[in-house]
Structure formats: structure tokens, C-alpha cells
Amino acid sequence: MKNPQLLKKAIWALPTVLIFGYIVYMQLKMAGPDPDEFRVQIDKIEKREDVLMIFGSVENLTNKDWNSIGIEVEFYDSEGKFIDETSGLGSNLRVLKGYQTENFKLSEPLAFLRIENYSVTKAKVVGGYRY
């Protein structure tokens, strides 16, 4: 070896580079989904006793697989003013594969919502992660 000092520095720098690379890799993998990469549709909203049930479907428009998809539903009045919102993990959405469509159900106690006179709902994906 021509320069043993350089080799020693490289050996000591390697763990730092590996740790930094791992952190960057995990941030890229754990970055939340872009809502524009999904199509969320609300099919039915029902009040059952003291619970609001929201049924719909979510379509993954990309080739990326996502886990634990979070869905947010917003409620608006007839003039387009925001009233309230709810969100949660859609049941049966543990994994949403690329280009796949899955049904979901959200439930929220009515005591936490004020949506008596809503006219419009908007839904989007607000969370999830990839392996």
C-alpha cells in the first residue's frame, strides 16, 4: 500500500457513509404518498346508531405498493364551505399494490363530527408507507 493513512481514514469514514446512506434510504422509503397518485371515491355514507360509516374505494395509480393507507374525508356545505373532516386507516387496506383498487370502510362516532347539513364530500389519501 502506498498510503496507509488514507486507508485508515477510509475505513473510519465507511461506517459514517453507511449510516448516512441508510438514513437517506429510509427517508425515501418512509416518505408519505402523494395524494395525486391515488383516486379515492366515496360510494356510500350511512349513519348507524351513533356511528358514521363511510364506504368507498381507493385506486393506486402507480406501480408502488403502499401499506396502511390513511384516508381523509372532508365535508362541505352547499356553498362549498368546509364543515368537518374525519380520517383513518381504511379497513382491508393493509397493503395496496401498484395499479390495484381496493374497497375501504371508515367509521367515526357521530359525537365527534358536526356534519348535519353537508352537501359535498372530498376524499384523499393522507398517509401510508412502503417497505
Side-chain angles (χ1 to χ4, degrees):
M1 295 223 177
K2 293 185 179 181
N3 193 344
Q5 291 292 67
L6 184 61
L7 179 61
K8 285 182 183 179
K9 288 181 181 179
I11 289 173
W12 282 104
L14 184 61
T16 303
V17 169
L18 290 174
I19 290 170
F20 180 73
Y22 179 75
I23 291 170
V24 169
Y25 171 77
M26 289 307 294
Q27 285 180 336
L28 291 173
K29 293 297 270 182
M30 297 298 284
D34 179 351
D36 293 334
E37 294 179 348
F38 299 88
R39 182 176 301 124
V40 182
Q41 178 177 321
I42 302 298
D43 298 322
K44 179 172 56 170
I45 298 176
E46 292 181 2
K47 291 181 181 178
R48 295 184 182 173
E49 297 180 15
D50 294 333
V51 177
L52 184 73
M53 306 295 291
I54 303 169
F55 301 90
S57 62
V58 59
E59 179 182 2
N60 184 347
L61 302 174
T62 71
N63 64 352
K64 302 172 195 166
D65 296 347
W66 287 93
N67 299 317
S68 298
I69 295 292
I71 297 171
E72 176 182 85
V73 179
E74 299 175 331
F75 298 88
Y76 295 84
D77 66 15
S78 59
E79 297 173 0
K81 292 181 184 174
F82 176 79
I83 299 173
D84 208 341
E85 68 183 9
T86 186
S87 61
L89 298 177
S91 61
N92 301 326
L93 283 178
R94 289 175 196 84
V95 177
L96 183 60
K97 295 201 175 279
Y99 304 112
Q100 182 180 20
T101 300
E102 286 287 339
N103 295 317
F104 68 86
K105 174 180 72 173
L106 296 178
S107 58
E108 179 79 28
L110 284 169
F112 298 126
L113 291 173
R114 300 290 178 246
I115 56 165
E116 285 74 31
N117 296 315
Y118 75 91
S119 295
V120 177
T121 59
K122 294 180 183 178
K124 63 183 175 183
V125 169
V126 293
Y129 63 92
R130 296 182 290 134
Y131 284 118

